[in-house]
């Protein structure tokens, strides 16, 4: 679908001096169909992108210093308010939309604040020197400064521009849906024969009366739930039975669902998540995390770690990562046995578990201690007890 063609058709539609009524009517139909295709494309694309953006926005970006999770200014910027005009949710929603719509996205740091660029010019002509970015626009403001690659966070999808692929799919399905809708109107419409005798044709006002009947009277008659059609002398209307099978909207809905499903497949999202189906939702969420969210969080964290920290700092354990566990809703009663196992085996403290569950920490020393059940013991101790038992026997 080309935007240029859209505007050309729009200009033709309103060029009333060069078009007959029939041509303008056809252009109106074509224009309506084109608008439908565009809306369907945008809906399918936005549904998939919003699924991903919402998931990323729910993740916590953890900041680590010497392999310990800390919450300082960097954590606040990424998780609460990256800049004075956006909260973190809006920031990441805009970022994901830019990344999937343009297949690339740019985050710049100005006055210790982070901003997602609306547009930019990327110059990669220098193979062995730093690439540069110019004409960076943020909220209709174009920056005068050119930025080097080391001064920005630049993200690019490895695959072909997904927006172009989904547009091609949606354009085809848009035409199919328009055709199905036309067939729906035809199959469920009313048809008939208007008989006109010679007496009516010979009247001086014949054309005026006929035009009024066709454009006004019949239109009102067919569009009304209950109506009576007055007939002039010399006119006789005979309704034709609809011998074909009337269609319903389920065929149109099925094509719409097919389009949503194919678009979701292009993003790597299961149809259960895009269509709101409940069957196998847990498996769909796991696949969504594994094949969509985690690769995206790796792309983001690798770029931020490579620019915000020196190599020596990363080696020492200074880095950021995404906690994707906050994406999934957790029912405390469903995981109660798992909580018991995680604490009793000494794997997590009580406060660590409470934090993962979204609960407040307990400000007591014992809540940050590791516990282990008496059933667990080192293998050496178990062997010693076995030997002692055999000796006594």
């Amino acid at each position: 679908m080309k935007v240029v063609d859209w505007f050309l058709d729009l200009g033709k539609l309103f060029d009333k001096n060069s078009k007959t009524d029939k041509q303008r009517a056809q252009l109106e139909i074509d224009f309506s169909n084109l608008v439908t295709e565009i809306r369907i494309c945008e809906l399918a694309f936005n549904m998939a992108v919003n699924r991903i953006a919402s998931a990323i926005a729910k993740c916590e970006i953890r900041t680590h210093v010497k392999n310990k999770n800390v919450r300082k200014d960097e954590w606040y910027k990424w998780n609460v308010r990256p800049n004075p005009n956006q909260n973190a949710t809006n920031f990441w929603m805009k970022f994901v939309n830019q990344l999937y719509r343009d297949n690339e996205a740019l985050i710049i740091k100005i006055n210790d604040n982070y901003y997602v660029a609306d547009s930019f010019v990327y110059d990669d002509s220098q193979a062995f020197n730093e690439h540069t970015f110019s004409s960076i626009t943020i909220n209709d403001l174009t920056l005068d400064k050119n930025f080097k690659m080391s001064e920005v966070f630049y993200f690019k999808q490895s695959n072909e521009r997904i927006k172009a692929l989904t547009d091609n799919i949606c354009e085809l399905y848009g035409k199919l849906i328009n055709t199905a809708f036309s067939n729906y109107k035809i199959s469920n419409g009313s048809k008939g024969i208007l008989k006109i005798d010679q007496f009516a044709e010979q009247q001086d006002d014949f054309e005026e009366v006929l035009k009024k009947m066709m454009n006004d009277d019949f239109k009102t008659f067919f569009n009304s739930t209950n109506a009576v059609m007055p007939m002039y002398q010399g006119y006789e209307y005979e309704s034709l039975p609809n011998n074909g099978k009337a269609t319903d909207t389920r065929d149109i809905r099925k094509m719409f669902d097919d389009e949503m499903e194919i678009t979701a497949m292009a993003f790597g999202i299961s149809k259960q998540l895009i269509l709101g189906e409940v069957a196998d939702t847990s498996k769909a969420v796991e696949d969504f995390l594994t094949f969509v969210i985690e690769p995206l969080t790796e792309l983001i964290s690798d770029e931020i770690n490579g620019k915000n920290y020196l190599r020596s700092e990363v080696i020492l354990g200074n880095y950021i990562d995404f906690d994707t566990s906050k994406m999934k809703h957790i029912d405390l009663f469903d995981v109660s046995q798992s909580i018991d196992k995680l604490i009793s085996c000494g794997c997590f403290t009580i406060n660590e578990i409470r934090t993962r569950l979204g609960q407040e920490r307990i400000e007591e020393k014992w809540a940050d201690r590791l516990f282990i059940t008496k059933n667990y013991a080192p293998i050496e101790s178990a062997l010693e007890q076995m030997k002692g038992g055999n000796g006594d026997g």
Side-chain angles (χ1 to χ4, degrees), residues 2 28 46 68 89 162 288 292 365:
K2 298 179 179 178
E28 288 177 359
N46 288 335
K68 289 186 177 181
T89 299
I162 195 169
F288 181 57
V292 180
K365 290 184 178 180

Side-chain angles (χ1 to χ4, degrees), residues 203-220:
Q203 300 300 313
D204 295 336
D205 59 349
F206 169 71
E207 293 185 1
E208 181 180 348
V209 172
L210 181 62
K211 185 176 181 180
K212 181 179 182 300
M213 289 183 62
M214 301 301 295
N215 295 338
D216 299 329
D217 298 340
F218 276 107
K219 183 177 181 180
T220 302

